[in-house]
């Protein structure tokens, strides 16, 4: 139903426009409740995570998702107040309404950054299957796509108000034509660029494991299966093997038998890239991507920078002392010092872990800088999506990852514990994906790419420009209105 995103705001805009009474209460509540109900539908999987893995009482699990939805919806409510003021501007000009996409982007920027941020399923992500429409993500990221979605809502709203107005209908048709034409051009040019590269192979494993406690015997059986599958993929030509986050609860840097077994495998087969926990002392705990190379004691590591609230640390711990994390470590995880690419055969590989893939700026920093001389030429993201259970969340997670490919024009290799693993092309197409809740292993074809997009080069130029333009224009309108009085 992606097409409904182009006019979903029309009923609310009409409601606010016809509301003659002044005051902030009605517009605030209109947008607040719309956002609140939306988040309840989108985030319905959160209680399952809190109850099953966080040990929370069912009541607390449901209170948790309601509290999060209320918090996120406050920003939509504040946005509703501003939108009402925009709608109250005298005249039927289209220009004032074009401030609405700008304030929407400002709201998204706040949600993405406040208290660690939670930019889950923002408006632009609704178009993840609308391939040509989303290609301009390489120019302004997901925020540019969200801007266009809200822009069309404004146009459809004006057409709804005056459906006989041929100029508005022409503007809608011309806007769609331009966006799809540019998108088609960017898609084809990306295909041409990618077609010139040398193809490589990686072995990706989806073990279909969970976070439930297991015995030593079960752990050994999983490891044996992983090594058997990895050996098979290496024989098929995999240049390196990818295991997901939290494949099995071992500490290879602290346990000699596991470290030796991994090194024996890599020296006989192929390098292994996998997600493991690293411990330094009693309190420093890192969620890490580790690369074990083919040479003796060849090792690299990236420590997760953007930790998951309530999964890896407790936000406002002093106030929420009664909340238990959903992981079993002895203390909160420690954030890494910064993004850092891992080098494979002279190529920079960016390795955002799980939740990090939903943050465009963080992934862009990997590609552009990578904490060293080499930028990222490939994205390998590992995740433990077994927290989600059999819900929509793994599909939501995958759809957001698609945009990181488009923004930076990089292949993404995705390995998860129980789905959905796969390969995403630089055009955002899912070239291959596994089924959810199944065990699988496959060879993923990819290419190392070095080109830089506008988004990679300049980062958040578009969204911050949008925020600045909104505040400048909005203040000018207020000053002009006061002068008229």
């Amino acid at each position: 139903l992606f097409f409904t995103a182009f006019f979903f705001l029309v009923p609310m805009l009409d409601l606010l426009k016809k509301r003659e009474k002044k005051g902030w209460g009605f517009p605030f509540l209109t947008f607040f409740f719309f956002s609140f109900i939306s988040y309840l539908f989108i985030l319905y999987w959160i209680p399952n995570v809190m109850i099953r893995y966080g040990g929370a009482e069912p009541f607390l699990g449901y209170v948790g998702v309601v509290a999060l939805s209320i918090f996120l919806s406050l920003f939509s409510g504040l946005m509703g107040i501003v939108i009402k003021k925009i709608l109250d501007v005298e005249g039927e000009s289209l220009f004032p309404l074009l401030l609405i996409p700008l304030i929407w982007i400002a709201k998204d920027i706040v949600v993405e950054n406040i208290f660690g941020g939670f930019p889950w399923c923002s408006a632009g992500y609704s178009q993840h299957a609308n391939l040509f429409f989303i290609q301009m993500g390489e120019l302004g990221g997901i925020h540019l796509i969200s801007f266009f979605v809200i822009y069309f809502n404004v146009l459809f709203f004006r057409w709804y108000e005056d459906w006989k107005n041929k100029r508005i209908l022409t503007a809608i048709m011309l806007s769609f034509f331009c966006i799809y034409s540019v998108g088609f051009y960017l898609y084809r040019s990306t295909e041409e660029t990618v077609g010139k590269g040398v193809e490589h192979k990686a072995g990706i494993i989806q073990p279909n494991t969970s976070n439930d406690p297991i015995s030593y015997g079960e752990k050994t059986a999983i490891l044996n299966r992983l090594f058997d599958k990895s050996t098979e993929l290496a024989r098929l030509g995999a240049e390196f093997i990818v295991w997901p986050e939290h494949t099995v609860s071992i500490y290879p840097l602290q346990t000699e038998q596991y470290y030796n077994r991994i090194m024996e495998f890599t020296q006989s087969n192929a390098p292994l890239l996998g997600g493991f926990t690293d411990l330094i002392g009693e309190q420093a705990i890192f969620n890490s991507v580790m690369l074990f190379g083919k040479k003796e004691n060849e090792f690299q590591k990236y420590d997760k920078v953007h930790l998951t609230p309530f999964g890896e640390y407790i936000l406002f711990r002093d106030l929420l002392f009664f909340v238990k994390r959903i992981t079993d470590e002895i203390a909160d995880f420690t954030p890494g010092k910064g993004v850092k690419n891992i080098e494979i055969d002279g190529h920079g590989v960016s390795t955002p872990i799980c939740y990090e893939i939903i943050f465009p700026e963080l992934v862009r920093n990997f590609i552009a800088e990578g904490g060293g001389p080499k930028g990222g030429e490939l994205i390998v993201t590992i995740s433990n999506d077994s927290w989600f259970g059999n819900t929509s969340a793994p599909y939501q997670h995958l759809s957001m990852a698609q945009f990181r490919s488009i923004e930076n024009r990089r292949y993404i290799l995705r390995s998860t514990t129980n789905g959905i693993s796969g390969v995403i092309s630089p055009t955002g197409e899912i070239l291959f994906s596994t089924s959810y809740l199944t065990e699988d292993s496959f060879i993923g074809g990819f290419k190392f790419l070095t080109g830089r997009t506008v988004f990679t080069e300049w980062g958040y130029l578009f969204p911050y420009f949008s925020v600045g333009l909104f505040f400048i224009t909005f203040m000018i309108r207020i000053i002009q209105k006061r002068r008229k009085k």
Side-chain angles (χ1 to χ4, degrees):
L1 300 177
F2 70 90
F3 57 89
T4 60
F6 296 124
F7 49 82
F8 77 101
L9 277 179
V10 172
M12 283 189 293
L13 295 177
D14 184 53
L15 196 63
L16 294 191
K17 184 72 179 286
K18 291 177 178 176
R19 177 81 173 185
E20 295 181 0
K21 290 184 180 179
K22 302 293 182 180
W24 60 267
F26 184 77
F28 176 88
L29 292 175
T30 299
F31 271 79
F32 172 85
F33 278 112
F34 170 78
S35 176
F36 174 68
I37 294 169
S38 300
Y39 274 121
L40 288 182
F41 276 99
I42 292 170
L43 304 176
Y44 73 96
W45 45 268
I46 284 181
N48 175 67
V49 177
M50 295 180 66
I51 295 166
R52 181 173 179 181
Y53 296 109
E57 293 294 325
F59 173 76
L60 187 59
Y62 292 108
V63 167
V65 70
V66 169
L68 177 61
S69 299
I70 289 174
F71 172 72
L72 294 173
S73 300
L74 291 174
F75 304 105
S76 296
L78 294 173
M79 179 180 65
I81 297 173
V82 180
I83 289 176
K84 172 60 176 170
K85 289 187 177 295
I86 294 170
L87 292 172
D88 286 344
V89 173
E90 293 180 5
E92 296 299 324
S93 171
L94 179 63
F95 174 75
L97 295 182
L98 294 180
L99 289 175
I100 295 175
L102 297 179
I103 183 59
W104 194 284
I105 299 305
K107 182 265 297 182
D108 283 351
I109 288 291
V110 173
V111 169
E112 186 173 326
N113 288 280
I114 194 166
F115 301 134
F118 191 66
W120 193 272
C121 288
S122 55
Y125 288 121
S126 64
Q127 303 305 301
H128 71 94
N130 192 359
L131 203 58
F132 294 146
F133 186 86
I134 62 178
Q135 293 304 308
M136 279 200 281
E138 75 162 71
L139 304 178
I142 181 62
H143 297 291
L144 180 58
I145 308 305
S146 292
F147 175 90
F148 285 133
V149 168
I150 306 305
Y151 164 79
F152 279 110
N153 275 269
V154 168
L155 290 182
F156 276 112
F157 170 63
R158 283 293 291 114
W159 191 42
Y160 168 78
E161 285 190 308
D162 185 8
W163 63 271
K164 291 182 180 180
N165 191 326
K166 294 181 179 179
R167 286 186 300 173
I168 297 296
L169 180 59
T170 301
I172 292 172
M173 295 175 66
L174 190 60
S175 296
F176 271 121
F177 176 78
C178 290
I179 291 174
Y180 277 100
S181 295
V182 174
F184 179 74
Y185 168 77
L186 293 174
Y187 175 87
R188 292 303 299 269
S189 62
T190 300
E191 279 195 323
E192 278 186 35
T193 303
V194 171
K196 298 174 183 177
V198 177
E199 184 155 328
H200 297 267
K201 295 179 180 180
I204 301 172
I205 294 182
Q206 179 175 297
N208 197 28
T209 55
S210 72
N211 294 285
D212 296 327
I214 57 175
S215 65
Y216 176 80
E218 290 172 316
K219 189 183 299 184
T220 302
I222 292 172
L223 271 177
N224 289 338
R225 199 163 69 244
L226 285 167
F227 281 117
D228 288 343
K229 292 286 186 184
S230 299
T231 302
E232 185 179 320
L233 291 173
R235 288 173 181 167
L236 292 173
E239 297 167 41
F240 59 91
I241 309 298
V242 184
W243 290 5
E245 179 189 26
H246 192 80
T247 314
V248 61
S249 56
I250 63 173
Y251 302 85
L253 300 189
Q254 286 72 43
T255 312
E256 188 176 1
Q257 70 176 90
Y258 294 132
Y259 177 82
N260 289 339
R261 185 168 184 189
I262 291 173
M263 293 308 296
E264 286 173 10
F265 165 80
T266 59
Q267 290 170 25
S268 302
N269 296 280
L272 174 64
L273 188 72
F276 301 98
T277 304
D278 187 22
L279 306 175
I280 299 177
E282 294 184 358
Q283 294 298 320
I285 305 169
F286 298 93
N287 185 357
S288 307
V289 171
M290 301 181 186
L291 175 72
F292 299 89
K294 291 200 73 170
K295 299 176 183 177
E296 187 175 356
N297 296 323
E298 183 184 353
F299 176 79
Q300 297 175 58
K301 180 168 77 91
Y302 160 68
D303 298 320
K304 188 176 183 181
V305 172
H306 202 299
L307 301 179
T308 307
F310 303 104
E312 294 164 327
Y313 75 101
I314 300 298
L315 196 63
F316 307 126
R317 173 169 285 284
D318 291 340
L319 293 174
L320 302 176
F321 59 89
F322 54 89
V323 177
K324 179 182 180 293
R325 279 178 295 99
I326 61 175
T327 50
D328 297 321
E329 302 299 342
I330 57 176
D332 286 354
F333 278 82
T334 306
K337 294 180 179 179
V339 297
K340 177 185 176 184
N341 286 327
I342 285 174
E343 193 172 320
I344 298 179
D345 292 333
H347 299 281
V349 177
S350 303
T351 55
I353 300 173
C354 191
Y355 183 63
E356 290 184 319
I357 199 68
I358 74 171
F359 291 91
E361 198 163 22
L362 185 145
V363 176
R364 178 257 167 194
N365 289 339
F366 264 112
I367 303 299
E369 303 166 13
K374 282 193 173 294
E377 301 173 38
L378 168 72
I379 299 172
V380 177
T381 180
I382 60 172
S383 185
N384 178 11
D385 284 2
S386 62
W387 302 113
F388 297 140
N390 191 12
T391 67
S392 300
Y395 301 90
Q396 295 171 355
H397 203 186
L398 174 65
S399 68
M400 289 184 278
Q402 290 176 249
F403 286 79
R404 306 296 86 83
S405 279
I406 295 171
E407 289 163 352
N408 302 284
R409 296 304 186 189
R410 294 293 187 268
Y411 278 91
I412 288 183
L413 304 180
R414 190 167 192 262
S415 175
T416 68
T417 47
N418 57 2
I420 304 163
S421 305
V423 180
I424 306 174
S425 81
T427 61
E429 290 177 280
I430 300 175
L431 301 178
F432 176 81
S433 63
T434 62
S435 299
Y436 187 54
L437 294 175
T438 59
E439 183 178 345
D440 207 341
S441 60
F442 60 94
I443 293 288
F446 69 93
K447 295 176 182 179
F448 290 111
L449 301 174
T450 57
R452 289 182 170 228
T453 65
V454 172
F455 181 82
T456 305
E457 196 68 43
W458 296 98
Y460 267 32
L461 182 65
F462 171 75
Y464 289 134
F465 171 78
S466 298
V467 173
L469 181 62
F470 165 75
F471 280 110
I472 292 171
T473 309
F474 189 65
M475 291 306 298
I476 290 173
R477 302 293 294 186
I478 290 177
I479 293 170
Q480 289 175 338
K481 193 173 183 180
R482 286 182 177 178
R483 283 180 177 176
K484 287 180 181 180
K485 290 182 179 180

